[in-house]
Amino acid sequence: MAASEVRGEDGEEVCLPQRDGRSTGPAGGHEGLLARVRAAEAAVERIGTTLDAVTTCEELAGFLFRNVCDAVAVDLLDEDGGPLRAATAGAEELLAAGSDGTPSPRATDGGHPLSAWVTVAGGVPVHVLSVPLPDGHRVHGLLTAVRARTAFSDHEAATVHFAARLAAVHLGHARQLAATEDTVSHLQRALVSEPGRPHPNLEVASRYLPAGPRALVGGDWFETVRLHYGRTLLVVGDVMGHGLDAAVDMNAYRSTLRDVASTDLAPHRVLRQLDALAAGDAGRRPATCLLVRVDPARGVAMFAGAGHLPPAVFGAGGSATLVDVPVGPPLGTGVGGYEAVTRTITPQETLLMFTDGLVERRGEDIDVSLARLAAVRLPPGAGVNAVVDAVVAALDADHAEDDVAVLAARSRPRLPVDPAAAAGAL
């Protein structure tokens, strides 16, 4: 069989050793060493292009099958230490035949032993190389490379060994990222699982949707704060960035807001206090925020925003209008300059607050995105939970490119007082 060809980044052909057990040049000579170096360069280019463990296993199997052997299998170990087949390439029957035999050490390099053995299938010798995939003190899995008839040369064995070690490092990175994502996801879900309890005169519904299984969660959050005289402060915010730092800063903003809101300041004054406090913390990330103070008894709501998208109000007929809220700078800039606007709100209207992930789409003007939300029509009489469900479905928020946080609220109508019952109570 002719020498395998690999093309590096510059398009130059890289000749790996012949698949007949011989090397392309004198053993240990310049040509053999150069072929091994170029093979390593090709492996670096093609293995570990993502931070996904299964993709890394597929890249490892594909690289070795194309250039060194007739069949490859990569097994990952589950939490109980059992093998799970993550990727294969080449003839499956050779992999089955190669499972028989007694391994013997062929090379050892820093805790990465290379084992080899020979078995026979159908009268044909089957040569097998096996390499564990450790990274630090943890073994992620096992690589098995198989070839029929001819043995692996020293250069080919070295290529298999190097590719396995390279993949093991990338598998370690992938699992570290997965563990970090899991920690951040649990933290954020715990923080935004439920907003605080509003007054009984206000119905609320909320939803948090992460951007996807491989995306780092962001700093989206919502909150409700009880105020005096039956009023409730509704809050939606979005810390810039993703990951653990964004989630931690989100919690800091949320805690600070509760303290400032307890002073019963108007929404725009609450934003001024938050901005000043955040600007004084050099490590705090900027954040957008929208505040709405709802007073069901008076039928009014006061709005103030810090770099956040405007809310929508759905009327009794199911149509939506966007509230024109003065746009102030994001929190943490120290610029200030926040203003408030007040409008009436009835028990037949539903207020919808959200983060940008609900409406924004890559490459689309934000006005177009908001118009799509305003075009949503709800069935008459839909409750607040039904409103959230309908909007999330209409905008396909389950497949959004960014995290989504949604908070809906509606005033409960005041029940008429029965004069006879009132007189009897006296």
Side-chain angles (χ1 to χ4, degrees):
M1 184 177 293
S4 303
E5 296 179 354
V6 177
R7 293 189 180 274
E9 268 187 289
D10 58 0
E12 180 182 358
E13 291 184 2
V14 178
C15 293
L16 294 178
Q18 302 279 354
R19 292 195 187 181
D20 59 0
R22 296 178 292 106
S23 300
T24 55
H30 175 74
E31 291 184 11
L33 181 60
L34 182 60
R36 186 183 299 184
V37 170
R38 289 179 173 175
E41 291 175 346
V44 169
E45 178 185 348
R46 299 192 177 189
I47 299 172
T49 61
T50 70
L51 284 172
D52 180 76
V54 174
T55 300
T56 298
C57 293
E58 292 171 347
E59 291 170 345
L60 172 62
F63 173 81
L64 292 178
F65 170 67
R66 289 190 301 270
N67 302 298
V68 179
C69 52
D70 297 326
V72 188
V74 184
D75 296 315
L76 293 180
L77 301 182
D78 60 20
E79 295 299 327
D80 298 324
L84 295 173
R85 184 60 49 92
T88 60
E92 294 281 349
E93 62 273 14
L94 283 181
L95 293 174
S99 61
D100 298 328
T102 303
S104 60
R106 177 163 178 172
T108 301
D109 184 6
H112 296 72
L114 175 68
S115 300
W117 66 91
V118 182
T119 186
V120 177
V124 176
V126 177
H127 299 267
V128 185
L129 293 178
S130 177
V131 191
L133 303 173
D135 179 46
H137 299 291
R138 179 174 182 177
V139 176
H140 300 297
L142 182 71
L143 165 71
T144 304
V146 183
R147 176 193 287 173
R149 294 185 175 85
T150 56
F152 292 94
S153 70
D154 289 341
H155 290 314
E156 290 170 327
T159 298
V160 172
H161 207 176
F162 175 80
R165 295 188 61 178
L166 175 65
V169 172
H170 288 297
L171 288 173
H173 294 163
R175 293 199 168 180
Q176 289 175 4
L177 174 62
T180 300
E181 289 177 343
D182 186 63
T183 299
V184 175
S185 179
H186 279 83
L187 172 62
Q188 188 170 36
R189 286 182 182 277
L191 293 174
V192 302
S193 57
E194 290 292 341
R197 295 177 59 189
H199 284 287
N201 59 9
L202 194 68
E203 293 182 83
V204 298
S206 59
R207 186 74 50 82
Y208 170 70
L209 300 171
R214 295 302 303 169
L216 282 173
V217 295
D220 298 37
W221 57 286
F222 41 68
E223 182 62 282
T224 66
V225 182
R226 285 193 181 200
L227 302 175
H228 297 298
Y229 311 114
R231 298 169 301 166
T232 298
L233 183 66
L234 305 176
V235 188
V236 169
D238 187 1
V239 177
M240 296 182 182
H242 292 79
L244 185 59
D245 290 341
V248 170
D249 282 345
M250 176 265 289
N251 188 43
Y253 275 110
R254 189 176 186 181
S255 299
T256 304
L257 177 127
R258 288 172 178 166
D259 292 338
V260 175
S262 65
T263 62
D264 215 6
L265 293 172
H268 61 294
R269 296 185 182 276
V270 172
L271 290 179
R272 291 177 191 171
Q273 293 279 355
L274 285 176
D275 179 54
L277 292 170
D281 183 351
R284 184 85 61 89
R285 299 185 181 200
T288 66
C289 187
L290 175 66
L291 304 183
V292 182
R293 188 177 69 186
V294 182
D295 187 346
R298 297 176 55 206
V300 296
M302 181 179 287
F303 302 77
H308 205 86
L309 294 178
V313 174
F314 287 88
S319 60
T321 58
L322 297 175
V323 181
D324 187 11
V325 179
V327 180
L331 300 176
T333 61
V335 176
Y338 303 104
E339 300 178 13
V341 63
T342 301
R343 63 155 283 172
T344 60
I345 190 162
T346 70
Q348 290 74 42
E349 295 177 313
T350 303
L351 172 67
L352 186 82
M353 305 164 64
F354 52 90
T355 55
D356 54 9
L358 177 68
V359 296
E360 286 188 349
R361 300 295 179 264
R362 191 183 305 274
E364 181 179 80
D365 186 84
I366 188 59
D367 291 333
V368 175
S369 304
L370 290 173
R372 185 169 52 253
L373 169 63
V376 174
R377 294 294 179 267
L378 303 178
V384 288
N385 282 291
V387 170
V388 173
D389 291 340
V391 171
V392 166
L395 300 183
D396 194 23
D398 286 317
H399 302 97
E401 298 172 352
D402 196 2
D403 290 5
V404 175
V406 181
L407 181 64
R410 178 188 298 167
S411 299
R412 284 192 170 97
R414 298 180 65 179
L415 297 177
V417 178
D418 185 349
L426 297 175

